[in-house]
Amino acid sequence: MVFILVHEYVGPKYRSLVAFISLALFYCPFTLLIPWMALWTGDWRRFAVWGCMPIILGMAAYWLLPESARWLVSRDNIEKAVEILKTVARRNKMVLPAELIDSFKVSCSEFYQDEMQGRNFTFLSIFRRRRLARFMILMTLVWMAISLLYDGQVRVASVLDTKNLFVYFTISCATDLPGYFVVFLTLDRFGRRWSSFAFTTLSGVLSLIGSAMTSLPSMKNCALASRFFANMSFNIALQWSAEILPTIVRGQGVSFIHTMGLVALLFSPPIIYLNNISFSLMLLVFGTVGLAGGLLSLMLPETLNHELPESISEGEDFGRDQRGWDLPCCGHGNRKSQPRHWRMGSTLRTLSRDEYRSPKLHRHMNRPDAVGVLKRSSTVSSRERLSEREIRTIQFNTSSQSE
């Protein structure tokens, strides 16, 4: 939940930086301490107690962390959201103009009335929209594959190097730190889709290469390299899953995705048990899982440089203009989403292109028969005529022209 809150308060430009700094500073160092803490305690009960004590600090989050402003707006608690945003601005030594705050309140009020009022959104609301349900299912399958691959590569240490278990586990966890920097340098350049595909697939390929080895040290090295790429895939999916789902169901959706990831971990010990038959068979299964997870990643939308979806309708329309070959660092995929402008008389989003919710904003399809309505020049290019799915927003002067 804290990870989701951080994402909602950070703009697209700094999302990856903030996410991976927290993991690099806290997650990685403490995973390196785990095997030596276990060796020091010498008893699994004491080890469990010491491992759970830091979780008590999480209870202080209620008093230390602000509520999600996006969630407050979706519950028509706009005043509380404004108070939190003013606090954020004050701590960043920024001044919010009164006109901007007033426009924000009006837009949020219209957003609530159009999208939220009289509706009760639950986790099942995700599956009432075809594209959003597809994203949810695909993200769940990708997360399950990556979680199984990540946990499995951790457990591989227990069978590939039983004599130096604590040292091997420490080295395996140490691969997290360089992985964070690699992901940080590539994620905001190549995007979530292609980065997840590349790292998950490489983890699977290295496992397949290890399964073809006959030497146990060679298998161990391939498994260690596979763990390195599995770490990066895990970190990407952790951020990606929180960006795809809309705000009003993000918490429930991400919780479901992570729960299914825990379900996938139930298959990790049986796969590790295959080493009693063959080490190669064990790595072969992990390699197949990695390849499957990488291919499924390509079916999800890119979230780099895009605003997080807020409503169900935004989540349904998210990524419609993307193509499977889009790459953020070049070509069509490098286009940034337009920033949201808070102004009087306009709602945040519409449910469909046929709805007109504001007297100032009208949407019209760019068809050849619409040339007169849009008052464009008589010369219309063939490219414009063929673009039937394009929707343009035209501001009319309602005082002089009737609908």
Side-chain angles (χ1 to χ4, degrees), residues 355-395:
E355 296 184 13
Y356 303 92
R357 294 195 172 161
S358 168
K360 291 188 178 181
L361 292 180
H362 297 264
R363 293 177 179 244
H364 200 94
M365 291 187 63
N366 182 18
R367 301 191 305 265
D369 59 347
V371 177
V373 177
L374 296 176
K375 294 185 177 181
R376 296 186 298 171
S377 111
S378 58
T379 305
V380 182
S381 65
S382 59
R383 181 175 178 271
E384 289 179 320
R385 290 180 182 274
L386 293 175
S387 181
E388 294 185 353
R389 293 185 178 181
E390 181 182 354
I391 302 172
R392 292 192 176 184
T393 301
I394 309 298
Q395 182 167 346

Side-chain angles (χ1 to χ4, degrees), residues 31-39 154 157-158 160-175 220 224 227:
T31 55
L32 297 178
L33 291 177
I34 285 178
W36 308 106
M37 188 172 68
L39 190 62
V154 173
S158 63
L160 291 182
D161 195 342
T162 56
K163 295 182 179 179
N164 303 297
L165 177 60
F166 294 97
V167 175
Y168 184 86
F169 187 89
T170 303
I171 296 174
S172 180
C173 292
T175 60
K220 184 174 68 175
L224 195 61
R227 166 68 194 271

Side-chain angles (χ1 to χ4, degrees), residues 278-312:
S278 169
F279 287 117
S280 298
L281 182 60
M282 174 184 66
L283 295 176
L284 181 63
V285 173
F286 285 127
T288 304
V289 171
L291 293 179
L295 293 175
L296 290 175
S297 299
L298 293 178
M299 302 180 186
L300 287 165
E302 180 57 61
T303 59
L304 178 63
N305 296 327
H306 291 276
E307 295 286 347
L308 298 181
E310 295 183 5
S311 64
I312 294 293

